[in-house]
């Protein structure tokens, strides 16, 4: 939706806003996501963060991994606090970007009421949900976005029985300015979507799949590969909705013309899915195939 040149590793700014070294788990993809996202947001930002892996990564006072001011709020209040901070900046005559950065639990479950209110009011903030598909920093408990059949410490031995909430679709139903799905394995796609979102007024929502080695039961060295496989298999779709118009992002749009990876390739690298039977995997593959049949029809002219 933009003719702006795409950022590459060669054109990405060398200025850093995140200190080297932090308390994130080894192999955590959020550290990369935060570092690259900060480069797009620039220095004039205030972050609003609820209890989450992000809070852990930042460290305890007086230690901080970030060069931004950060407001740590309660689990349920992220969007409401961001609204207040935005109002304060307006009162002071400042254009400081207010960024709410919450996990999937703080967004899809505990924080969804405040988010819905901010969406309905059209608050001028950026809301970023990093979705590692469970409550990871408190012991891998299931969340609303935990996928069906995934094992967590609070699911039966057969895995979660319910489907994951489609939070971007819930957000899109509020008709905000901008909705984007991203993957930590495609950080420059996230970077460039943030650059565009900064120029828009109203609430801009980002939903980012963020692979988590300890919670997903995968090797730390495979974090980025697994995130890419989620996209390449068509399980996690990258798209954006600007003023009600939806378009697939390039990594997913390419799948319209070429084959997708089998979902089995993605599942077999994660302990949380190893109990799935061949029949369950086949059923999941059929769901994904049907979804992409719809996409081919919807985006045939793109």
């Amino acid at each position: 939706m933009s003719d702006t040149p795409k950022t590459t590793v060669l054109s990405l700014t060398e200025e850093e806003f995140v200190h080297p070294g932090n308390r994130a788990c080894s192999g955590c993809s959020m550290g990369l996501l935060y570092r690259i996202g900060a480069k797009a947001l620039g220095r004039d930002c205030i972050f609003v963060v609820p209890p989450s892996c992000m809070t852990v990564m930042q460290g305890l006072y007086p230690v901080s991994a970030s060069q931004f001011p950060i407001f740590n709020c309660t689990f349920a209040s992220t969007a409401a606090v961001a609204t207040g901070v935005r109002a304060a900046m307006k009162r002071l005559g400042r254009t400081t970007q207010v960024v709410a950065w919450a996990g999937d639990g703080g967004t899809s479950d505990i924080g969804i009421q405040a988010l819905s209110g901010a969406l309905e009011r059209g608050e001028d903030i950026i809301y970023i949900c990093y979705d590692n598909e469970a409550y990871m920093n408190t012991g891998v408990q299931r969340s609303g976005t935990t996928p069906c059949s995934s094992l967590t410490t609070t699911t039966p031995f057969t895995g979660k029985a319910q489907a994951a909430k489609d939070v971007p679709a819930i957000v899109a139903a509020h008709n905000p300015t901008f909705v984007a799905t991203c993957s930590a394995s495609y950080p420059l796609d996230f970077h460039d979507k943030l650059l565009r979102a900064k120029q828009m007024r109203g609430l801009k929502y980002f939903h980012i799949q963020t692979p988590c080695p300890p919670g997903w039961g995968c090797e730390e060295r495979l974090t980025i590969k697994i995130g890419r496989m989620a996209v390449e298999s068509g399980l996690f779709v990258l798209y954006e909705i600007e003023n009600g118009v939806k378009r697939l992002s390039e990594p997913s749009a390419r799948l319209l013309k070429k084959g997708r990876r089998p979902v089995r390739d993605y599942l077999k690298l994660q302990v949380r899915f190893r109990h799935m039977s061949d029949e369950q995997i086949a059923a999941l593959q059929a769901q994904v195939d049907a979804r992409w049949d719809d996409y081919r029809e919807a985006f045939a002219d793109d």
Side-chain angles (χ1 to χ4, degrees), residues 62-115:
V63 177
S64 175
S66 174
Q67 299 179 28
F68 298 105
I70 295 177
F71 191 125
N72 281 122
C73 63
T74 61
F75 234 139
S77 66
T78 310
V81 171
T83 296
V85 174
R86 173 72 268 163
M89 293 300 102
K90 183 179 179 181
R91 176 76 173 180
L92 294 171
R94 294 174 56 178
T95 57
T96 300
Q97 193 73 242
V98 179
V99 181
W101 189 296
D104 48 292
T107 300
S108 69
D109 300 331
I110 304 173
I112 196 167
Q113 183 179 6
L115 174 59

Side-chain angles (χ1 to χ4, degrees), residues 179-249:
V179 180
T181 58
C182 302
S183 165
S185 298
Y186 294 86
L188 295 182
D189 174 68
F190 172 50
H191 176 279
D192 286 355
K193 286 173 177 172
L194 270 177
L195 283 182
R196 295 209 308 283
K198 283 174 58 179
Q199 309 306 316
M200 303 174 189
R201 298 293 301 273
L203 200 148
K204 288 78 64 175
Y205 178 83
F206 288 77
H207 196 96
I208 311 167
Q209 190 190 44
T210 314
C212 170
W216 292 16
C218 60
E219 295 185 46
E220 296 153 359
R221 65 183 177 85
L222 298 180
T223 304
I224 300 302
K225 179 178 180 179
I226 287 175
R228 285 187 177 275
M229 291 171 75
V231 174
E232 291 168 355
S233 66
L235 267 171
F236 191 83
V237 183
L238 302 182
Y239 63 83
E240 57 192 83
I241 303 173
E242 183 175 347
N243 295 319
V245 179
K246 183 175 182 178
R247 179 170 293 178
L248 294 180
S249 304

Side-chain angles (χ1 to χ4, degrees), residues 49-68:
V49 180
S52 59
C53 295
M54 177 71 162
T55 308
V56 174
M57 194 188 85
Q58 295 290 353
L60 297 174
Y61 179 83
V63 177
S64 175
S66 174
Q67 299 179 28
F68 298 105

Side-chain angles (χ1 to χ4, degrees), residues 76-201:
S77 66
T78 310
V81 171
T83 296
V85 174
R86 173 72 268 163
M89 293 300 102
K90 183 179 179 181
R91 176 76 173 180
L92 294 171
R94 294 174 56 178
T95 57
T96 300
Q97 193 73 242
V98 179
V99 181
W101 189 296
D104 48 292
T107 300
S108 69
D109 300 331
I110 304 173
I112 196 167
Q113 183 179 6
L115 174 59
S116 179
L119 285 161
E120 189 266 339
R121 296 190 302 272
E123 300 292 348
D124 188 21
I125 62 174
I126 293 175
Y127 191 106
I128 297 171
C129 171
Y130 70 94
D131 185 3
N132 49 27
E133 301 181 347
Y135 291 83
M136 295 306 187
N137 75 307
T138 53
V140 195
Q141 297 90 359
R142 80 187 282 289
S143 77
T145 66
T146 299
C148 184
S149 299
S150 176
L151 285 175
T152 73
T153 55
T154 53
T155 43
F157 68 92
T158 52
K160 186 184 176 189
Q162 299 80 19
K165 290 183 186 177
D166 188 347
V167 180
I170 295 171
V171 170
H174 291 73
N175 198 28
T177 302
F178 187 70
V179 180
T181 58
C182 302
S183 165
S185 298
Y186 294 86
L188 295 182
D189 174 68
F190 172 50
H191 176 279
D192 286 355
K193 286 173 177 172
L194 270 177
L195 283 182
R196 295 209 308 283
K198 283 174 58 179
Q199 309 306 316
M200 303 174 189
R201 298 293 301 273

